[in-house]
Amino acid sequence: MKELKGCGMRSCLGFLSQRRLRGQPLMKEDFQRRRLAGCTSLFKKDLLGHFGCVNAIEFSNNGGDWLVSGGDDRRVLLWHMEKAIHGRTKPVKLKGEHLSNIFCLAFDSTNTKVFSGGNDEQVILHDVERGETLNVFLHIDAVYSLSVSPVNDNVFASSSDDGRVLIWDTREPPTGEPFCLASYPSAFHSVMFNPVEPRLLATANSKEGVGLWDIRKPRSSLLRYGGNMSLQSAMSVRFNSTGTQLLALRRRLPPVLYELHSRLPSYQFDNQGYFNSCTMKSCCFAGDKDQYILSGSDDFNLYMWKIPKDPAAGRVVNGAFMILKGHRSIVNQVRFNPHTYMICSSGVEKVIKLWSPYQQPDSLGDLEGRVEDRSRSLYTHEEYISLVLNSGSGLSHDYVSQSIQEDPRMMAFFDSLVRREIEGWSSDSDSYLSDGAILQLHARGRRSTRPAATAAAASVANTEKCYKN
């Protein structure tokens, strides 16, 4: 597309995001809605910049011109979407660096600040323009989720592995005690403010399922979702844009949709091949009216379902509206930009994958699913152990090499987790490979010593604990 004077946009995506149609303000929305509804697949493009798994991605507010990402390499990267799509610039690395894996990110409403949290038991507040660290908020365990109040950028919520949901005010000294909204013996994996009723928050707990909370009545939830199945392992919860519905992910169960004040599910969504067991994932709504939902899967695919228009309690939607293929390992994170209809997804790979109903520079695929097959076979358990032993150690978080290339050991590690689920291994009793198992597998291939195998086993065990919690 010829460059448009005054906006500097070369792609259809940039044109649509800036376009103002006088007299017909809904024309763009209607066009994009129809465009997506007519697709069976999407164009795709990779963003490369991370050195490890990408565990968190978030679009900026009011247009999604920016994307922030973080992961195992402990760095927070800021991408200008239009420039990144055209390959004209590298992401900006914010100066505040975590000491361990990053699990969650959030923009404030003005997009001038970014919050990041993770396995190092802290939340860092970054200044976007200068890249500087503004503040650090210490926790006593890993931070899994963040949410900024929709009416006050100084207030944010965090959920942690210590079983607490905390409400913080950035104007208070970071050493002060935050407000404790919820406290359970089990980890809170997700928290989100209601975008319309900010006194309400939704949570996902590792054993207590999905709950609704009122900030005025702490320590006791207003509502426990799921009916007789409220005690579930939940890992993600999201409000729609109007705050009237909740979308949740549960381990080994399909995504579920709730009306705000109803304990029973409106819909559950399933498809042959979809599976959510091995890693921590998030979900999101999609479409201009939140008429779709998105979730990644252990089978390396990204699934999109259409929400039926007529509510029917307990109904199961079998069959996804669209299955996006192209990832080469487990897909954990997904976000949708309603202004450009762009989807971002990430996970075990070092890439952030962009999906769009509009063709982008150097993008692959098409809208009818006639794409090249870049899929791969799962590594066997033997191949995984061989990769570990050949390297002399298990997976590490030493990213001195700063490589953006695919990591076979990391891929094989997660393939091992997938195979265990397929074969029905217990995630509790078999959460690590024993020294004996490693020695037996290794003996089939090449000679080794027990100390090397023992070190590898310990590394494997530690890595699994980090990723599966």
Side-chain angles (χ1 to χ4, degrees):
M1 179 177 287
K2 186 177 179 180
E3 183 171 354
L4 301 173
K5 294 182 179 179
C7 69
M9 299 291 180
R10 293 179 180 270
S11 71
C12 184
L13 174 68
F15 173 79
L16 282 169
S17 66
Q18 297 295 323
R19 184 67 169 163
R20 301 293 182 267
L21 300 173
R22 295 181 180 178
Q24 301 184 57
L26 300 180
M27 183 177 290
K28 187 190 84 170
E29 287 76 8
D30 183 66
F31 173 79
Q32 300 216 103
R33 186 185 312 120
R34 291 174 179 269
R35 177 88 172 185
L36 183 61
C39 297
T40 56
S41 187
L42 298 173
F43 295 106
K44 59 191 177 192
K45 180 182 177 74
D46 290 348
L47 295 185
L48 297 173
H50 279 285
F51 310 141
C53 301
V54 185
N55 305 322
I57 48 177
E58 293 291 345
F59 281 111
S60 60
N61 298 294
N62 305 318
D65 295 331
W66 297 86
L67 180 79
V68 66
S69 60
D72 286 2
D73 59 7
R74 309 185 298 274
R75 303 179 306 148
V76 179
L77 300 185
L78 190 65
W79 309 76
H80 185 281
M81 290 305 297
E82 183 68 16
K83 293 178 180 178
I85 288 170
H86 290 278
R88 294 200 295 261
T89 184
K90 293 182 179 180
V92 175
K93 183 179 83 70
L94 302 184
K95 296 177 183 178
E97 189 167 308
H98 283 263
L99 304 175
S100 187
N101 319 53
I102 295 171
F103 292 147
C104 50
L105 296 160
F107 278 99
D108 73 349
S109 66
T110 63
N111 302 319
T112 60
K113 297 181 180 66
V114 165
F115 297 80
S116 61
N119 199 42
D120 58 356
E121 304 170 3
Q122 62 181 341
V123 171
I124 300 178
L125 178 58
H126 310 261
D127 181 279
V128 169
E129 184 175 356
R130 296 182 291 116
E132 303 284 352
T133 296
L134 297 176
N135 221 330
V136 176
F137 301 88
L138 299 178
H139 292 61
I140 61 175
D141 219 324
V143 181
Y144 290 136
S145 180
L146 294 167
S147 182
V148 181
S149 168
V151 294
N152 189 341
D153 283 334
N154 296 306
V155 175
F156 73 94
S158 63
S159 64
S160 174
D161 196 45
D162 67 3
R164 294 189 300 166
V165 174
L166 302 176
I167 309 295
W168 303 77
D169 190 325
T170 61
R171 295 164 296 189
E172 298 292 329
T175 55
E177 281 294 319
F179 175 75
C180 183
L181 176 69
S183 181
Y184 280 170
S186 49
F188 277 101
H189 287 155
S190 184
V191 62
M192 185 177 182
F193 278 99
N194 186 302
V196 177
E197 292 286 349
R199 62 183 176 83
L200 300 178
L201 295 94
T203 60
N205 186 273
S206 62
K207 293 183 179 180
E208 304 290 336
V210 180
L212 182 68
W213 303 76
D214 190 322
I215 202 169
R216 302 170 301 180
K217 300 177 181 179
R219 303 287 179 153
S220 179
S221 62
L222 291 179
L223 192 63
R224 293 279 292 278
Y225 295 94
N228 294 330
M229 296 182 63
S230 61
L231 294 178
Q232 298 172 338
S233 179
M235 62 183 67
S236 179
V237 64
R238 303 284 295 185
F239 282 107
N240 65 352
S241 58
T242 58
T244 59
Q245 292 179 318
L246 279 170
L247 174 64
L249 287 185
R250 306 159 298 170
R251 194 173 297 279
R252 296 186 177 92
L253 291 170
V256 60
L257 182 71
Y258 296 101
E259 299 300 317
L260 180 61
H261 297 296
S262 175
R263 297 175 63 247
L264 300 178
S266 297
Y267 295 102
Q268 298 186 68
F269 303 85
D270 210 351
N271 196 91
Q272 183 177 0
Y274 174 82
F275 196 53
N276 171 27
S277 178
C278 295
T279 57
M280 294 289 293
K281 298 180 180 65
S282 71
C283 52
C284 72
F285 288 90
D288 62 314
K289 297 181 179 179
D290 300 323
Q291 63 266 46
Y292 302 97
I293 69 161
L294 283 161
S295 174
S297 171
D298 291 343
D299 69 350
F300 306 174
N301 295 326
L302 183 62
Y303 287 81
M304 177 185 286
W305 288 270
K306 190 170 186 177
I307 301 173
K309 294 182 179 179
D310 299 323
R315 185 174 172 183
V316 176
V317 177
N318 269 312
F321 167 73
M322 192 183 300
I323 303 174
L324 299 176
K325 302 178 181 292
H327 279 283
R328 287 171 52 79
S329 193
I330 299 172
V331 186
N332 290 330
Q333 304 297 318
V334 59
R335 292 293 182 266
F336 176 78
N337 183 351
H339 299 273
T340 61
Y341 266 55
M342 176 166 283
I343 297 166
C344 282
S345 58
S346 68
V348 170
E349 299 163 275
K350 299 178 181 180
V351 306
I352 299 170
K353 199 169 287 289
L354 309 181
W355 309 85
S356 175
Y358 311 108
Q359 189 165 15
Q360 310 300 330
D362 302 318
S363 63
L364 301 174
D366 54 54
L367 300 182
E368 298 179 0
R370 300 191 305 265
V371 298
E372 77 291 349
D373 185 6
R374 294 187 65 244
S375 60
R376 61 179 182 85
S377 300
L378 291 175
Y379 284 99
T380 64
H381 297 303
E382 291 85 350
E383 288 170 333
Y384 169 43
I385 299 306
S386 177
L387 285 168
V388 172
L389 291 173
N390 284 339
S391 68
S393 65
L395 297 175
S396 70
H397 296 291
D398 181 7
Y399 298 102
V400 175
S401 64
Q402 299 188 355
S403 172
I404 61 174
Q405 301 303 313
E406 188 173 287
D407 183 354
R409 284 191 306 164
M410 185 65 74
M411 308 284 265
F413 166 74
F414 283 98
D415 284 3
S416 180
L417 297 185
V418 172
R419 281 192 177 276
R420 295 183 198 198
E421 292 296 332
I422 293 174
E423 296 166 7
W425 294 13
S426 166
S427 60
D428 295 324
S429 60
D430 295 300
S431 61
Y432 64 94
L433 295 177
S434 67
D435 296 352
I438 287 183
L439 286 172
Q440 184 179 11
L441 291 171
H442 185 66
R444 297 176 187 173
R446 55 185 62 82
R447 297 174 63 186
S448 70
T449 61
R450 183 175 179 83
T454 302
S459 180
V460 168
N462 289 334
T463 304
E464 290 196 7
K465 181 180 179 182
C466 176
Y467 281 104
K468 294 187 73 176
N469 282 348

